[in-house]
Amino acid sequence: APLTYRAAALVQLGVVFLITTAVALIVGTLRQRELDRANAPGPPDSALADPVDAPLPGDSERAIVAEAARRAADAIGEWATIRVRDEAGRLACAAVAHRDASGEPLLQPLLGAGRIANGGRPTPAGIWGGSEPVILGINDRVLDALAATPAELAAYRALAPAQLLTVPVMIGAESLGVLELGARAPAVFTDSSVRRAERLAARIADGVRWARASARVDAGDRRFRMLF
């Protein structure tokens, strides 16, 4: 019996080691990709780099989405939200930011707000959060279709957007979340806005994937250490 127990324990240790090693390799690959992007040849020193292309902080998923929302609000729209799917596929608002500090409280009711449907939310102006970027012209009918709860509707009305831009955050063909930008003035968002938001969404996807893989490595390491 002791021999059987030791053999089973060794098998368990081997499985944990292999899983931890595999996840560590994934994290290393993602980390190297971020380093390659950061070290890629950029514009001349005289040209200002676009802030949406700067690497995002990689210490945690929360820090990544918070910084991405801040950049989106400062550089593309007047305000921004980032919805992210958790490991169970539930979509919830993980970060908000407003270019004007006085507008920040208007966004707080949106934190935690979720939409479960994978195909986005149909509105009279188009699909919010679908698989393609979309610029929505906003009126009361669109807001009524967009908001999932009375609190969310009140928040959107207080923000009073004339336009919304939503861009999917994708990992390959998998939907990880939605980057949403709002503006009070009409005709703020252009094709250039969409391209910049798509580049930022790609940064978000890479950052969140790296943070989650890193968290799994840390969890596996803790479990491994508990065996001794």
Side-chain angles (χ1 to χ4, degrees):
L3 290 176
T4 302
Y5 174 79
R6 288 176 184 173
L10 287 173
V11 169
Q12 184 180 20
L13 286 173
V15 170
V16 171
F17 175 77
L18 290 174
I19 293 174
T20 303
T21 302
V23 176
L25 288 172
I26 294 172
V27 173
T29 300
L30 293 173
R31 205 174 265 160
Q32 187 60 50
R33 182 185 297 179
E34 285 300 307
L35 289 173
D36 291 343
R37 285 184 177 181
N39 296 326
D45 292 340
S46 58
L48 293 176
D50 192 329
V52 304
D53 295 322
L56 292 169
D59 50 342
S60 71
E61 181 175 333
R62 177 178 295 183
I64 289 166
V65 295
E67 175 61 21
R70 172 54 52 201
R71 291 185 192 178
D74 289 343
I76 307 175
E78 293 178 22
W79 53 266
T81 73
I82 297 177
R83 267 83 166 182
V84 179
R85 295 188 190 281
D86 61 17
E87 302 287 358
R90 294 182 295 262
L91 184 67
C93 186
V96 299
H98 201 292
R99 187 180 298 176
D100 184 349
S102 65
E104 204 82 30
L106 302 177
L107 288 161
Q108 295 306 305
L110 298 179
L111 278 173
R115 294 181 177 81
I116 307 301
N118 289 326
R121 180 170 290 273
T123 78
I127 304 294
W128 183 102
S131 59
E132 298 291 336
V134 63
I135 299 173
L136 305 177
I138 302 301
N139 56 34
D140 286 343
R141 291 178 59 237
V142 174
L143 288 183
D144 288 341
L146 175 63
T149 66
E152 206 174 348
L153 178 59
Y156 274 117
R157 285 181 172 165
L159 290 163
Q163 277 189 318
L164 289 178
L165 165 61
T166 70
V167 176
V169 177
M170 306 288 291
I171 297 178
E174 177 188 357
S175 172
L176 180 63
V178 179
L179 169 62
E180 173 190 46
L181 299 111
R184 284 177 177 264
V188 167
F189 298 125
T190 64
D191 289 344
S192 175
S193 304
V194 173
R195 289 193 294 271
R196 295 174 73 212
E198 286 182 307
R199 297 203 305 272
L200 182 56
R203 285 278 186 194
I204 296 168
D206 280 348
V208 170
R209 180 169 56 173
W210 177 87
R212 290 182 178 179
S214 181
R216 286 192 289 270
V217 169
D218 291 342
D221 183 61
R222 286 193 298 271
R223 288 194 298 268
F224 185 79
R225 291 175 185 275
M226 289 173 62
L227 295 174
F228 294 95

